Amino acid sequence: QVQLVESGGGSVQSGGSLTLSCAASGDTRSSDCMGWFRQVPGKEREGVASIHKDGSTTYADSVKGRFTIFRDSAKNTVSLQMNSLNPQDTAMYYCAAEDYSASLCRYEYIRTFFYKSQGSQVTVSS
């Protein structure tokens, strides 16, 4: 079992920045791959970014160049630095973790991971 506790989020104007953080506890062997997905009510979950314990990362095209995912393996935390936010980034953001190899640790799969955080709302106003 892995517990994921998320912090950060909030409201910001277009062009602003926010940082989300997620702390993993419990059986952290199941958090080799961590990442973020987001969801807008009435729409499907969208994978945003992933990071493997080996440091490899993947990003959705919609956030590439604006968002940065990084992790502190010693502290079992993962963070998402979000810059140049726009209203289309408004969503509930979730941290997720799974015991996946680097080849499977991709943003497209994050939304299906078993272990998920409680979510944080990010609202970007124009």
Side-chain angles (χ1 to χ4, degrees):
Q1 291 283 341
V2 176
Q3 292 78 44
L4 300 173
V5 178
E6 188 176 337
S7 60
S11 298
V12 67
Q13 288 192 326
S14 185
S17 299
L18 284 173
T19 300
L20 300 174
S21 295
C22 177
S25 62
D27 184 5
T28 55
R29 292 173 298 176
S30 296
S31 59
D32 286 353
C33 177
M34 298 185 74
W36 299 86
F37 67 91
R38 62 190 182 186
Q39 189 167 26
V40 175
K43 294 189 176 181
E44 290 190 357
R45 295 176 180 176
E46 178 190 15
V48 174
S50 69
I51 185 165
H52 193 260
K53 65 178 182 179
D54 69 0
S56 57
T57 60
T58 70
Y59 295 91
D61 287 344
S62 58
V63 306
K64 198 172 293 184
R66 300 188 297 121
F67 290 12
T68 301
I69 187 170
F70 52 97
R71 68 189 290 169
D72 184 332
S73 294
K75 296 180 180 180
N76 293 318
T77 60
V78 62
S79 299
L80 186 69
Q81 173 68 44
M82 303 181 291
N83 298 326
S84 301
L85 286 161
N86 60 62
Q88 288 69 44
D89 295 316
T90 295
M92 187 72 81
Y93 284 72
Y94 298 86
C95 167
E98 195 62 84
D99 182 18
Y100 274 16
S101 64
S103 61
L104 293 176
C105 188
R106 294 192 55 82
Y107 75 90
E108 299 99 319
Y109 305 144
I110 291 291
R111 61 191 180 92
T112 67
F113 283 10
F114 180 78
Y115 298 108
K116 295 177 285 291
S117 64
Q118 77 280 14
S120 291
Q121 178 66 38
V122 171
T123 302
V124 185
S125 57
S126 58

Short mmCIF file of all heavy atoms in Angstrom, two decimals, residues 19-80:
data_model
loop_
_atom_site.label_atom_id
_atom_site.label_comp_id
_atom_site.label_asym_id
_atom_site.label_seq_id
_atom_site.Cartn_x
_atom_site.Cartn_y
_atom_site.Cartn_z
N THR A 19 2.99 25.41 -7.98
CA THR A 19 3.72 24.16 -7.77
C THR A 19 2.87 23.20 -6.95
O THR A 19 2.32 23.58 -5.91
CB THR A 19 5.05 24.40 -7.04
OG1 THR A 19 5.86 25.27 -7.82
CG2 THR A 19 5.79 23.09 -6.84
N LEU A 20 2.76 22.00 -7.43
CA LEU A 20 2.09 20.92 -6.71
C LEU A 20 3.15 19.98 -6.16
O LEU A 20 4.14 19.70 -6.83
CB LEU A 20 1.16 20.14 -7.64
CG LEU A 20 0.03 20.93 -8.30
CD1 LEU A 20 -0.71 20.04 -9.29
CD2 LEU A 20 -0.92 21.47 -7.26
N SER A 21 2.91 19.47 -4.96
CA SER A 21 3.83 18.50 -4.37
C SER A 21 3.05 17.29 -3.88
O SER A 21 1.87 17.39 -3.54
CB SER A 21 4.59 19.12 -3.20
OG SER A 21 5.44 20.15 -3.66
N CYS A 22 3.73 16.17 -3.85
CA CYS A 22 3.08 14.92 -3.45
C CYS A 22 4.09 14.09 -2.67
O CYS A 22 5.20 13.84 -3.14
CB CYS A 22 2.62 14.16 -4.69
SG CYS A 22 1.89 12.55 -4.38
N ALA A 23 3.68 13.67 -1.48
CA ALA A 23 4.55 12.86 -0.63
C ALA A 23 4.02 11.44 -0.56
O ALA A 23 2.83 11.24 -0.28
CB ALA A 23 4.62 13.46 0.76
N ALA A 24 4.89 10.49 -0.80
CA ALA A 24 4.52 9.08 -0.76
C ALA A 24 5.00 8.46 0.54
O ALA A 24 6.10 8.73 1.01
CB ALA A 24 5.11 8.34 -1.94
N SER A 25 4.16 7.61 1.11
CA SER A 25 4.54 6.87 2.32
C SER A 25 3.99 5.46 2.21
O SER A 25 3.16 5.17 1.36
CB SER A 25 4.02 7.57 3.57
OG SER A 25 2.61 7.63 3.56
N GLY A 26 4.45 4.59 3.10
CA GLY A 26 4.03 3.21 3.05
C GLY A 26 5.01 2.38 2.24
O GLY A 26 6.22 2.59 2.34
N ASP A 27 4.51 1.48 1.43
CA ASP A 27 5.36 0.62 0.62
C ASP A 27 5.82 1.39 -0.62
O ASP A 27 5.22 1.28 -1.69
CB ASP A 27 4.60 -0.64 0.21
CG ASP A 27 5.48 -1.61 -0.55
OD1 ASP A 27 6.69 -1.36 -0.68
OD2 ASP A 27 4.95 -2.64 -1.03
N THR A 28 6.89 2.13 -0.46
CA THR A 28 7.34 2.99 -1.56
C THR A 28 7.98 2.20 -2.70
O THR A 28 8.33 2.78 -3.72
CB THR A 28 8.32 4.05 -1.04
OG1 THR A 28 9.39 3.40 -0.36
CG2 THR A 28 7.62 5.01 -0.10
N ARG A 29 8.10 0.89 -2.55
CA ARG A 29 8.55 0.08 -3.69
C ARG A 29 7.53 0.16 -4.82
O ARG A 29 7.85 -0.14 -5.97
CB ARG A 29 8.74 -1.37 -3.26
CG ARG A 29 9.89 -1.60 -2.30
CD ARG A 29 9.89 -3.04 -1.79
NE ARG A 29 8.68 -3.34 -1.06
CZ ARG A 29 8.39 -4.55 -0.57
NH1 ARG A 29 9.24 -5.55 -0.74
NH2 ARG A 29 7.28 -4.75 0.10
N SER A 30 6.31 0.54 -4.47
CA SER A 30 5.25 0.66 -5.47
C SER A 30 5.17 2.06 -6.06
O SER A 30 4.16 2.41 -6.68
CB SER A 30 3.88 0.30 -4.85
OG SER A 30 3.87 -1.05 -4.44
N SER A 31 6.21 2.84 -5.86
CA SER A 31 6.20 4.19 -6.40
C SER A 31 7.42 4.45 -7.27
O SER A 31 7.91 5.57 -7.32
CB SER A 31 6.11 5.22 -5.27
OG SER A 31 7.20 5.08 -4.38
N ASP A 32 7.90 3.39 -7.93
CA ASP A 32 9.03 3.59 -8.84
C ASP A 32 8.68 4.61 -9.91
O ASP A 32 9.52 5.38 -10.34
CB ASP A 32 9.42 2.26 -9.50
CG ASP A 32 10.13 1.33 -8.54
OD1 ASP A 32 10.45 1.77 -7.41
OD2 ASP A 32 10.38 0.17 -8.93
N CYS A 33 7.46 4.57 -10.36
CA CYS A 33 6.96 5.53 -11.34
C CYS A 33 5.93 6.42 -10.66
O CYS A 33 4.99 5.92 -10.04
CB CYS A 33 6.33 4.83 -12.54
SG CYS A 33 5.62 5.95 -13.75
N MET A 34 6.11 7.71 -10.78
CA MET A 34 5.15 8.66 -10.23
C MET A 34 4.82 9.71 -11.27
O MET A 34 5.58 9.92 -12.23
CB MET A 34 5.72 9.32 -8.97
CG MET A 34 6.01 8.34 -7.85
SD MET A 34 6.55 9.14 -6.33
CE MET A 34 5.00 9.84 -5.74
N GLY A 35 3.71 10.36 -11.08
CA GLY A 35 3.34 11.37 -12.06
C GLY A 35 2.07 12.08 -11.69
O GLY A 35 1.56 11.93 -10.58
N TRP A 36 1.58 12.84 -12.65
CA TRP A 36 0.40 13.66 -12.43
C TRP A 36 -0.58 13.50 -13.59
O TRP A 36 -0.18 13.41 -14.76
CB TRP A 36 0.80 15.13 -12.34
CG TRP A 36 1.73 15.42 -11.21
CD1 TRP A 36 3.09 15.31 -11.23
CD2 TRP A 36 1.38 15.84 -9.89
NE1 TRP A 36 3.61 15.63 -9.99
CE2 TRP A 36 2.59 15.96 -9.16
CE3 TRP A 36 0.17 16.12 -9.26
CZ2 TRP A 36 2.60 16.36 -7.81
CZ3 TRP A 36 0.20 16.52 -7.93
CH2 TRP A 36 1.40 16.63 -7.23
N PHE A 37 -1.85 13.45 -13.24
CA PHE A 37 -2.88 13.55 -14.25
C PHE A 37 -3.89 14.59 -13.78
O PHE A 37 -3.89 14.99 -12.62
CB PHE A 37 -3.54 12.20 -14.54
CG PHE A 37 -4.37 11.63 -13.41
CD1 PHE A 37 -5.73 11.92 -13.32
CD2 PHE A 37 -3.81 10.77 -12.49
CE1 PHE A 37 -6.50 11.38 -12.30
CE2 PHE A 37 -4.57 10.22 -11.45
CZ PHE A 37 -5.92 10.54 -11.36
N ARG A 38 -4.73 15.05 -14.67
CA ARG A 38 -5.72 16.05 -14.32
C ARG A 38 -7.07 15.68 -14.90
O ARG A 38 -7.16 14.90 -15.85
CB ARG A 38 -5.28 17.43 -14.80
CG ARG A 38 -5.12 17.57 -16.31
CD ARG A 38 -4.45 18.90 -16.65
NE ARG A 38 -4.32 19.09 -18.09
CZ ARG A 38 -3.67 20.10 -18.65
NH1 ARG A 38 -3.10 21.04 -17.88
NH2 ARG A 38 -3.60 20.20 -19.97
N GLN A 39 -8.08 16.24 -14.32
CA GLN A 39 -9.43 15.94 -14.79
C GLN A 39 -10.34 17.14 -14.62
O GLN A 39 -10.35 17.78 -13.57
CB GLN A 39 -10.02 14.73 -14.05
CG GLN A 39 -11.32 14.24 -14.63
CD GLN A 39 -11.73 12.88 -14.11
OE1 GLN A 39 -11.35 12.48 -13.02
NE2 GLN A 39 -12.51 12.17 -14.90
N VAL A 40 -11.09 17.41 -15.67
CA VAL A 40 -12.13 18.43 -15.66
C VAL A 40 -13.46 17.71 -15.60
O VAL A 40 -13.64 16.68 -16.27
CB VAL A 40 -12.04 19.29 -16.94
CG1 VAL A 40 -13.19 20.28 -16.99
CG2 VAL A 40 -10.70 20.02 -16.99
N PRO A 41 -14.40 18.18 -14.79
CA PRO A 41 -15.71 17.51 -14.71
C PRO A 41 -16.31 17.27 -16.09
O PRO A 41 -16.35 18.18 -16.93
CB PRO A 41 -16.55 18.49 -13.90
CG PRO A 41 -15.56 19.19 -13.04
CD PRO A 41 -14.33 19.34 -13.90
N GLY A 42 -16.75 16.04 -16.30
CA GLY A 42 -17.39 15.70 -17.57
C GLY A 42 -16.42 15.28 -18.65
O GLY A 42 -16.84 14.92 -19.75
N LYS A 43 -15.12 15.33 -18.35
CA LYS A 43 -14.12 14.94 -19.33
C LYS A 43 -13.26 13.81 -18.79
O LYS A 43 -13.23 13.55 -17.59
CB LYS A 43 -13.25 16.13 -19.72
CG LYS A 43 -14.00 17.23 -20.46
CD LYS A 43 -13.03 18.27 -21.00
CE LYS A 43 -13.77 19.31 -21.84
NZ LYS A 43 -12.82 20.33 -22.39
N GLU A 44 -12.57 13.14 -19.68
CA GLU A 44 -11.70 12.04 -19.27
C GLU A 44 -10.45 12.57 -18.57
O GLU A 44 -10.03 13.71 -18.78
CB GLU A 44 -11.28 11.22 -20.49
CG GLU A 44 -12.41 10.41 -21.10
CD GLU A 44 -11.90 9.44 -22.15
OE1 GLU A 44 -10.69 9.44 -22.43
OE2 GLU A 44 -12.72 8.69 -22.70
N ARG A 45 -9.86 11.71 -17.77
CA ARG A 45 -8.58 12.03 -17.16
C ARG A 45 -7.53 12.24 -18.24
O ARG A 45 -7.52 11.54 -19.25
CB ARG A 45 -8.14 10.90 -16.24
CG ARG A 45 -9.05 10.67 -15.05
CD ARG A 45 -8.56 9.45 -14.26
NE ARG A 45 -9.40 9.19 -13.11
CZ ARG A 45 -9.25 8.16 -12.30
NH1 ARG A 45 -8.28 7.28 -12.53
NH2 ARG A 45 -10.06 7.99 -11.28
N GLU A 46 -6.65 13.19 -17.99
CA GLU A 46 -5.58 13.49 -18.95
C GLU A 46 -4.24 13.37 -18.25
O GLU A 46 -3.98 14.08 -17.26
CB GLU A 46 -5.76 14.90 -19.50
CG GLU A 46 -4.65 15.32 -20.45
CD GLU A 46 -4.71 16.79 -20.82
OE1 GLU A 46 -5.41 17.56 -20.13
OE2 GLU A 46 -4.03 17.17 -21.80
N GLY A 47 -3.40 12.49 -18.75
CA GLY A 47 -2.06 12.38 -18.20
C GLY A 47 -1.27 13.63 -18.48
O GLY A 47 -1.37 14.20 -19.58
N VAL A 48 -0.49 14.08 -17.51
CA VAL A 48 0.26 15.33 -17.64
C VAL A 48 1.76 15.07 -17.73
O VAL A 48 2.41 15.54 -18.66
CB VAL A 48 -0.05 16.27 -16.46
CG1 VAL A 48 0.82 17.51 -16.52
CG2 VAL A 48 -1.52 16.64 -16.45
N ALA A 49 2.30 14.35 -16.75
CA ALA A 49 3.74 14.13 -16.72
C ALA A 49 4.04 12.91 -15.88
O ALA A 49 3.28 12.54 -14.99
CB ALA A 49 4.46 15.35 -16.16
N SER A 50 5.18 12.31 -16.16
CA SER A 50 5.62 11.15 -15.39
C SER A 50 7.11 11.26 -15.12
O SER A 50 7.86 11.92 -15.86
CB SER A 50 5.35 9.85 -16.15
OG SER A 50 6.19 9.76 -17.29
N ILE A 51 7.55 10.58 -14.04
CA ILE A 51 8.97 10.52 -13.74
C ILE A 51 9.27 9.18 -13.08
O ILE A 51 8.57 8.75 -12.17
CB ILE A 51 9.41 11.69 -12.84
CG1 ILE A 51 10.93 11.66 -12.64
CG2 ILE A 51 8.68 11.70 -11.50
CD1 ILE A 51 11.49 12.97 -12.07
N HIS A 52 10.29 8.51 -13.57
CA HIS A 52 10.70 7.24 -13.01
C HIS A 52 11.80 7.48 -11.99
O HIS A 52 12.44 8.54 -12.00
CB HIS A 52 11.19 6.32 -14.13
CG HIS A 52 11.35 4.90 -13.71
ND1 HIS A 52 12.57 4.37 -13.40
CD2 HIS A 52 10.43 3.92 -13.53
CE1 HIS A 52 12.41 3.10 -13.06
NE2 HIS A 52 11.12 2.80 -13.13
N LYS A 53 12.04 6.50 -11.14
CA LYS A 53 13.09 6.65 -10.14
C LYS A 53 14.46 6.80 -10.78
O LYS A 53 15.39 7.30 -10.13
CB LYS A 53 13.09 5.47 -9.17
CG LYS A 53 13.44 4.14 -9.79
CD LYS A 53 13.46 3.05 -8.71
CE LYS A 53 13.86 1.70 -9.31
NZ LYS A 53 13.90 0.63 -8.27
N ASP A 54 14.58 6.40 -12.06
CA ASP A 54 15.86 6.56 -12.73
C ASP A 54 16.04 7.97 -13.30
O ASP A 54 17.07 8.28 -13.90
CB ASP A 54 16.05 5.52 -13.85
CG ASP A 54 15.12 5.74 -15.03
OD1 ASP A 54 14.31 6.69 -15.02
OD2 ASP A 54 15.21 4.94 -15.99
N GLY A 55 15.01 8.82 -13.11
CA GLY A 55 15.09 10.21 -13.53
C GLY A 55 14.48 10.51 -14.88
O GLY A 55 14.33 11.68 -15.24
N SER A 56 14.10 9.49 -15.62
CA SER A 56 13.50 9.73 -16.93
C SER A 56 12.11 10.32 -16.79
O SER A 56 11.36 9.98 -15.88
CB SER A 56 13.44 8.44 -17.75
OG SER A 56 12.72 7.44 -17.04
N THR A 57 11.78 11.24 -17.68
CA THR A 57 10.50 11.96 -17.63
C THR A 57 9.80 11.93 -18.98
O THR A 57 10.43 11.79 -20.03
CB THR A 57 10.71 13.42 -17.22
OG1 THR A 57 11.56 14.06 -18.17
CG2 THR A 57 11.34 13.52 -15.84
N THR A 58 8.48 12.05 -18.93
CA THR A 58 7.69 12.25 -20.14
C THR A 58 6.63 13.30 -19.84
O THR A 58 6.22 13.47 -18.69
CB THR A 58 7.00 10.96 -20.64
OG1 THR A 58 5.96 10.59 -19.73
CG2 THR A 58 7.99 9.81 -20.78
N TYR A 59 6.22 14.01 -20.90
CA TYR A 59 5.24 15.08 -20.75
C TYR A 59 4.21 15.02 -21.87
O TYR A 59 4.53 14.68 -23.01
CB TYR A 59 5.92 16.45 -20.82
CG TYR A 59 6.86 16.75 -19.70
CD1 TYR A 59 8.21 16.44 -19.80
CD2 TYR A 59 6.41 17.36 -18.52
CE1 TYR A 59 9.09 16.73 -18.76
CE2 TYR A 59 7.28 17.65 -17.49
CZ TYR A 59 8.62 17.33 -17.61
OH TYR A 59 9.49 17.62 -16.58
N ALA A 60 3.00 15.43 -21.52
CA ALA A 60 1.99 15.61 -22.55
C ALA A 60 2.38 16.83 -23.39
O ALA A 60 2.97 17.78 -22.88
CB ALA A 60 0.62 15.84 -21.91
N ASP A 61 2.04 16.78 -24.66
CA ASP A 61 2.40 17.88 -25.55
C ASP A 61 1.80 19.21 -25.06
O ASP A 61 2.40 20.27 -25.25
CB ASP A 61 1.90 17.60 -26.97
CG ASP A 61 2.71 16.53 -27.67
OD1 ASP A 61 3.83 16.22 -27.20
OD2 ASP A 61 2.23 15.98 -28.68
N SER A 62 0.65 19.12 -24.44
CA SER A 62 -0.05 20.34 -24.02
C SER A 62 0.68 21.09 -22.91
O SER A 62 0.41 22.28 -22.68
CB SER A 62 -1.48 20.00 -23.56
OG SER A 62 -1.44 19.06 -22.49
N VAL A 63 1.61 20.42 -22.22
CA VAL A 63 2.31 21.07 -21.11
C VAL A 63 3.81 21.13 -21.32
O VAL A 63 4.53 21.76 -20.53
CB VAL A 63 2.01 20.37 -19.77
CG1 VAL A 63 0.51 20.26 -19.54
CG2 VAL A 63 2.66 18.99 -19.71
N LYS A 64 4.29 20.49 -22.37
CA LYS A 64 5.73 20.42 -22.61
C LYS A 64 6.30 21.83 -22.75
O LYS A 64 5.76 22.67 -23.46
CB LYS A 64 5.99 19.60 -23.86
CG LYS A 64 7.41 19.08 -23.99
CD LYS A 64 7.51 18.12 -25.17
CE LYS A 64 6.72 16.86 -24.94
NZ LYS A 64 6.88 15.88 -26.04
N GLY A 65 7.38 22.08 -22.05
CA GLY A 65 8.01 23.38 -22.08
C GLY A 65 7.48 24.35 -21.04
O GLY A 65 8.08 25.40 -20.79
N ARG A 66 6.35 24.01 -20.43
CA ARG A 66 5.76 24.88 -19.40
C ARG A 66 5.78 24.22 -18.02
O ARG A 66 5.94 24.91 -17.01
CB ARG A 66 4.31 25.21 -19.76
CG ARG A 66 4.13 25.94 -21.07
CD ARG A 66 2.70 26.40 -21.28
NE ARG A 66 1.76 25.29 -21.35
CZ ARG A 66 0.73 25.14 -20.51
NH1 ARG A 66 0.51 26.03 -19.55
NH2 ARG A 66 -0.09 24.10 -20.64
N PHE A 67 5.60 22.91 -17.99
CA PHE A 67 5.57 22.18 -16.73
C PHE A 67 6.86 21.38 -16.57
O PHE A 67 7.43 20.88 -17.55
CB PHE A 67 4.41 21.20 -16.70
CG PHE A 67 3.03 21.82 -16.61
CD1 PHE A 67 2.82 23.18 -16.80
CD2 PHE A 67 1.93 21.02 -16.34
CE1 PHE A 67 1.56 23.73 -16.73
CE2 PHE A 67 0.65 21.56 -16.27
CZ PHE A 67 0.48 22.92 -16.46
N THR A 68 7.31 21.24 -15.33
CA THR A 68 8.48 20.43 -15.02
C THR A 68 8.17 19.53 -13.85
O THR A 68 7.69 19.99 -12.81
CB THR A 68 9.69 21.31 -14.67
OG1 THR A 68 9.98 22.19 -15.77
CG2 THR A 68 10.92 20.44 -14.41
N ILE A 69 8.42 18.24 -14.03
CA ILE A 69 8.22 17.28 -12.95
C ILE A 69 9.59 16.91 -12.38
O ILE A 69 10.55 16.73 -13.13
CB ILE A 69 7.47 16.03 -13.44
CG1 ILE A 69 7.11 15.11 -12.27
CG2 ILE A 69 8.26 15.26 -14.51
CD1 ILE A 69 6.16 13.98 -12.66
N PHE A 70 9.67 16.82 -11.08
CA PHE A 70 10.92 16.40 -10.46
C PHE A 70 10.60 15.66 -9.16
O PHE A 70 9.53 15.82 -8.59
CB PHE A 70 11.85 17.60 -10.21
CG PHE A 70 11.24 18.74 -9.47
CD1 PHE A 70 11.42 18.88 -8.10
CD2 PHE A 70 10.51 19.71 -10.13
CE1 PHE A 70 10.87 19.94 -7.41
CE2 PHE A 70 9.94 20.78 -9.45
CZ PHE A 70 10.13 20.89 -8.08
N ARG A 71 11.53 14.83 -8.75
CA ARG A 71 11.31 14.04 -7.54
C ARG A 71 12.55 14.05 -6.66
O ARG A 71 13.67 14.19 -7.15
CB ARG A 71 10.89 12.61 -7.88
CG ARG A 71 11.93 11.74 -8.53
CD ARG A 71 11.32 10.42 -9.01
NE ARG A 71 10.94 9.54 -7.91
CZ ARG A 71 10.21 8.43 -8.04
NH1 ARG A 71 9.77 8.08 -9.23
NH2 ARG A 71 9.92 7.67 -7.01
N ASP A 72 12.27 13.86 -5.39
CA ASP A 72 13.33 13.70 -4.39
C ASP A 72 13.16 12.29 -3.85
O ASP A 72 12.29 12.03 -3.01
CB ASP A 72 13.17 14.75 -3.29
CG ASP A 72 14.29 14.70 -2.27
OD1 ASP A 72 14.88 13.60 -2.07
OD2 ASP A 72 14.58 15.73 -1.66
N SER A 73 13.96 11.38 -4.35
CA SER A 73 13.81 9.98 -3.96
C SER A 73 14.11 9.76 -2.49
O SER A 73 13.51 8.89 -1.85
CB SER A 73 14.73 9.11 -4.82
OG SER A 73 14.31 9.14 -6.17
N ALA A 74 15.00 10.53 -1.93
CA ALA A 74 15.33 10.37 -0.51
C ALA A 74 14.12 10.71 0.37
O ALA A 74 13.92 10.11 1.43
CB ALA A 74 16.51 11.26 -0.15
N LYS A 75 13.31 11.67 -0.08
CA LYS A 75 12.14 12.08 0.69
C LYS A 75 10.86 11.47 0.16
O LYS A 75 9.78 11.70 0.71
CB LYS A 75 12.02 13.61 0.67
CG LYS A 75 13.18 14.33 1.34
CD LYS A 75 12.98 15.84 1.30
CE LYS A 75 14.12 16.56 1.97
NZ LYS A 75 13.95 18.04 1.94
N ASN A 76 10.96 10.72 -0.93
CA ASN A 76 9.78 10.10 -1.56
C ASN A 76 8.73 11.14 -1.92
O ASN A 76 7.54 10.99 -1.62
CB ASN A 76 9.18 9.03 -0.66
CG ASN A 76 10.09 7.84 -0.48
OD1 ASN A 76 10.70 7.39 -1.44
ND2 ASN A 76 10.21 7.36 0.74
N THR A 77 9.17 12.20 -2.53
CA THR A 77 8.25 13.24 -2.96
C THR A 77 8.40 13.49 -4.47
O THR A 77 9.47 13.28 -5.04
CB THR A 77 8.50 14.57 -2.22
OG1 THR A 77 9.84 15.01 -2.48
CG2 THR A 77 8.30 14.40 -0.72
N VAL A 78 7.33 13.94 -5.06
CA VAL A 78 7.34 14.34 -6.46
C VAL A 78 6.62 15.67 -6.55
O VAL A 78 5.64 15.90 -5.84
CB VAL A 78 6.68 13.29 -7.37
CG1 VAL A 78 5.21 13.09 -7.03
CG2 VAL A 78 6.86 13.66 -8.84
N SER A 79 7.13 16.54 -7.40
CA SER A 79 6.54 17.87 -7.54
C SER A 79 6.31 18.20 -9.00
O SER A 79 6.98 17.64 -9.89
CB SER A 79 7.45 18.93 -6.90
OG SER A 79 7.62 18.68 -5.52
N LEU A 80 5.39 19.11 -9.21
CA LEU A 80 5.09 19.58 -10.57
C LEU A 80 5.12 21.10 -10.56
O LEU A 80 4.26 21.73 -9.96
CB LEU A 80 3.73 19.08 -11.02
CG LEU A 80 3.36 19.38 -12.47
CD1 LEU A 80 4.23 18.56 -13.43
CD2 LEU A 80 1.89 19.07 -12.73
#
